[in-house]
Amino acid sequence: MARSIIFLTFLSTLLISVAGLAGTTVLRWTGADDLRADFLHVVEVINQKSGTKLSASDFFLIEDRDLANNHFQMYVQSVNGLPVSQKTIRLWTNLNTGALIQAESALEGDAHLALLKKKAQIFSAKNIELSSTFLQNKVMALAKAIVRQHPDDRAMTEIKSVDQWSNGNLVRNLRIKGKHGLHLIEIDLNLMKVISATYESFPTADTSKPFAKDAQDNENEFSLPALVYPMYEETEQAVRQTRVSSQLKHLSKKVYSSTTDPYLKLRERTYLDVKQDSILGLTLEGQAQGYWAMSDIKVKAAQIKSQLTLQDNSLSSVSPTGHVILEGRYATVSLHPDAVTAFHGLNFTPARSTAFRPNWAPVSFDSDQWQMIPGGSYLGRPLLTYDAAYLRTARRLADHNPTEYINDGFDEVQVYHSINTLFESLHAIGFTDPELSTRPFHAFLYDPDISSRDNAYYTDDTINFTTYSSNAQNYARDNSTIWHELGHGIMDRLMGDSLQLADTGGLSEGMADFVAALVIEKVTNGVPFDGANDFRIINNTGFYLTNEVHDDGEAYGGAMKDLLVAARARWGDQGVLKVGDLTMETMRLCRNHPGLTAELWFSHMLFADQLGHDGVRAPNEMNDLILNSLAGRNFTFENQKRAEFKISANGSEVLSRGPGSRNNPIPFAAAPTEFASFDLQVTATDGDLYKIKYPVTVKVQYENGPLQGAMHWKYQEQSPVSYQLNSAEDVLNLNIQASGTCDFVNRADGSCQDFVYVQLWPTDATKPVAKKRFYLRLLPATKK
């Protein structure tokens, strides 16, 4: 009980600190402290607690919505009409009474506000309008120079920007969507220089009362029989699975239709990437000069779609088509726009999909300049008979030939069914938030880009599937991967667009894994199946002992999985309901957090448990299970020292974003017959609670890890190679040697990128407790 008391004392403290918000006054209180939630009163409480002299006019409301169990509001602090980065007041109130449930604020104090106001006056004296073409051109020139330096992703498919105060400077933050990830760039508007620039890949597979059951088809929907994989086509050990009978539910009886690309009219002008501008592209003056904004294009595309003909999606002989496409309440499924031209030999003519998906291409063959081509996509093979989805073959081809798979038409059936299953399973355990729990996801199959091969990725309400090499799995037939990728979407919806994770983003990967685990529990009712113990969420990985987002996610996901197992053991099937409801309520209570850490995530989970949920969870009934799930994972309370596992290269630790990381591999060149050499140092030290049992084995893995194998390494044939640390004072010196010849190319420029996996294995362990990655990139001049 002592640990529980300590943690709840920490939780109820009003003044708390948030990583990354140094110098900020951070307050938190709950309805147990004060039930009043009117905004004037909230500001008064903040002034009383922090000694500030803020007024309600210092803020503006940017979000005001009902969630499943409470109402949420978010106010942003402002200076001279511009927001202050990550400085907010967030309120959760009772849906029925308006009483406060939780209030959290992270705000600038009076002294710093006065400094910002003075800086605002200085900038105003320059007579430069923030919306001016002069300023925008300068900003975009700086941003585009950064994007052009990226080795793999130089496209600028969508730009969002916001002017705000950040760390005492007036900045413009740009969120530039590329083909495979996001460029996040911050530019000082006073000095006109780039302050920071990072790149984040899209999330990838890397491999009350009881809730109502999901509604059946309504009068505008219908179902068809199908034969689908209940979990996946094959296990990681390549054991083929058997399909089962099911239904493709909630198919729409009416769908928008077009015999040509419905968005051709949008192609009457050219959309150069250098002219994309989220501000000027919204003005008539800017558009006249060739500027454009993706948000404007999406609005125009939606208007075009709404004016298309609604036609029967039916097998009826009186239907204009007499076939069914996979479009329904929760999912639409299309082919990737490039798939039809990339893969020849289709034995049917794909019809036009009205799903809008902008495509990108170079202006000319040898041009470094790109253009956005607005358009629709294509539909897969239509269903021509009542039992077509049931009878479709599900061949597992040795080469995963995309043309043959498109001709077979099975993958889109599996994906549609999988998305429906996700919604139905999560609705049953508490995902009932208005609009958020019903907005459909859009799937695109067979992205031919080599940089995305052997993967699936999520972005902006879409799940995207790629092509696959012979030894890979087809992720369009792997429900667990589909549910993981869409788990990112569930988390995005519940936790908000303004959420800031204070670590590498491991929470996102861990919660995506856990959303998939919840769906699996609902689908299987806890009954074991082939490969059930092979998921990465079943692990011993500790917090703060990794340096890559998927590995970081293992600690989060592993702790949550341990909680789920314990809850099922105590309450049976009701335990899944309780943990699912608790998890989603924790996401809501962390909505738009400005600096969420592991400690704060689990403190909010304890608070959600403390609140309970009538008819589902009693207050505090899972407190002991939550705390037990964290034991043995290097989780720390109140600034206790953590255990550490470090790898260093050239005297610098290899961290999640520095040289040697996934998005910042160390480039090198070597002759095809030579090896390049890299020296690493490895250490492991104890924490206050987490102790490493020496001697401990260090394993270096060169192949068979997630997306591993493109490069060739010396000693690869002996992988994993084992070493030993005998004490905390030991330093293991590793010499890593990478060949000048790729085993296979995995980048569009002809280069290859890969990593060595350095893992810590205690004696007799079945899984590692710590793992670090070291990434390299062999430059294309020396490719095989």
Side-chain angles (χ1 to χ4, degrees), residues 714-746:
K714 193 170 185 180
Y715 310 120
Q716 180 171 313
E717 289 72 19
Q718 289 81 46
S719 177
V721 182
S722 296
Y723 304 88
Q724 187 168 288
L725 287 171
N726 294 307
S727 69
E729 289 73 35
D730 261 8
V731 177
L732 173 63
N733 293 298
L734 296 176
N735 180 247
I736 304 298
Q737 297 188 44
S739 170
T741 300
C742 298
D743 279 350
F744 62 84
V745 170
N746 63 354

Side-chain angles (χ1 to χ4, degrees), residues 16-302:
I16 60 176
S17 62
V18 177
L21 299 178
T24 300
T25 299
V26 182
L27 298 173
R28 178 183 183 276
W29 68 95
T30 72
D33 305 298
D34 186 350
L35 288 172
R36 287 186 59 183
D38 57 284
F39 191 61
L40 288 175
H41 176 71
V42 168
V43 174
E44 288 176 2
V45 172
I46 293 171
N47 285 334
Q48 292 170 5
K49 297 293 183 181
S50 62
T52 54
K53 298 177 182 178
L54 301 170
S55 69
S57 61
D58 293 326
F59 303 87
F60 51 88
L61 180 67
I62 65 166
E63 188 170 12
D64 189 7
R65 69 155 63 233
D66 284 347
L67 300 174
N69 305 321
N70 46 61
H71 185 79
F72 177 78
Q73 291 180 304
M74 178 172 169
Y75 295 83
V76 174
Q77 192 172 21
S78 66
V79 172
N80 281 28
L82 293 178
V84 184
S85 176
Q86 300 183 42
K87 303 303 182 285
T88 63
I89 298 173
R90 295 172 297 130
L91 305 174
W92 293 258
T93 54
N94 186 288
L95 284 170
N96 298 316
T97 67
L100 182 72
I101 296 172
Q102 175 180 256
E104 294 189 347
S105 67
L107 302 173
E108 298 284 13
D110 291 341
H112 200 199
L113 284 175
L115 178 62
L116 293 182
K117 290 176 181 178
K118 186 174 292 186
K119 288 190 173 184
Q121 292 174 351
I122 294 173
F123 187 83
S124 297
K126 294 183 177 182
N127 293 318
I128 299 176
E129 292 290 336
L130 291 176
S131 60
S132 69
T133 302
F134 169 78
L135 183 66
Q136 185 66 0
N137 286 341
K138 282 196 149 190
V139 166
M140 292 309 300
L142 291 171
K144 286 163 186 171
I146 294 293
V147 174
R148 289 290 184 269
Q149 294 173 13
H150 197 276
D152 298 317
D153 200 346
R154 298 171 186 168
M156 299 170 68
T157 67
E158 185 172 355
I159 301 174
K160 295 181 180 179
S161 67
V162 60
D163 295 333
Q164 60 185 359
W165 299 98
S166 178
N167 296 319
N169 300 310
L170 181 58
V171 304
R172 180 163 295 171
N173 285 105
L174 295 114
R175 182 180 181 272
I176 302 176
K177 184 178 176 183
K179 291 191 71 175
H180 310 297
L182 295 173
H183 298 273
L184 305 174
I185 302 171
E186 185 173 78
I187 296 174
D188 187 315
L189 295 179
N190 187 42
L191 300 178
M192 270 302 146
K193 71 174 185 178
V194 175
I195 298 175
S196 65
T198 59
Y199 180 81
E200 296 179 358
S201 300
F202 293 139
T204 60
D206 199 55
T207 248
S208 110
K209 57 182 184 285
F211 301 105
K213 293 184 179 179
D214 200 67
Q216 298 301 307
D217 293 332
N218 61 37
E219 66 274 11
N220 298 314
E221 299 173 340
F222 66 102
S223 297
L224 291 176
L227 203 60
V228 296
Y229 292 107
M231 192 57 60
Y232 32 54
E233 178 183 40
E234 57 188 348
T235 67
E236 289 188 1
Q237 287 72 39
V239 177
R240 291 294 302 277
Q241 302 297 291
T242 302
R243 290 187 289 166
V244 298
S245 298
S246 190
Q247 294 280 317
L248 301 182
K249 300 179 182 179
H250 311 305
L251 288 162
S252 299
K253 290 183 179 180
K254 297 279 189 179
V255 296
Y256 288 108
S257 176
S258 178
T259 57
T260 60
D261 188 336
Y263 307 106
L264 278 174
K265 183 174 178 58
L266 293 176
R267 297 211 287 270
E268 292 177 353
R269 58 157 293 184
T270 302
Y271 304 90
L272 299 177
D273 62 345
V274 294
K275 287 291 189 176
Q276 185 178 185
D277 191 297
S278 59
I279 297 175
L280 296 177
L282 296 176
T283 67
L284 293 177
E285 177 189 9
Q287 291 173 5
Q289 299 174 51
Y291 291 102
W292 62 279
M294 184 62 78
S295 58
D296 178 59
I297 302 302
K298 286 182 176 180
V299 169
K300 291 175 179 175

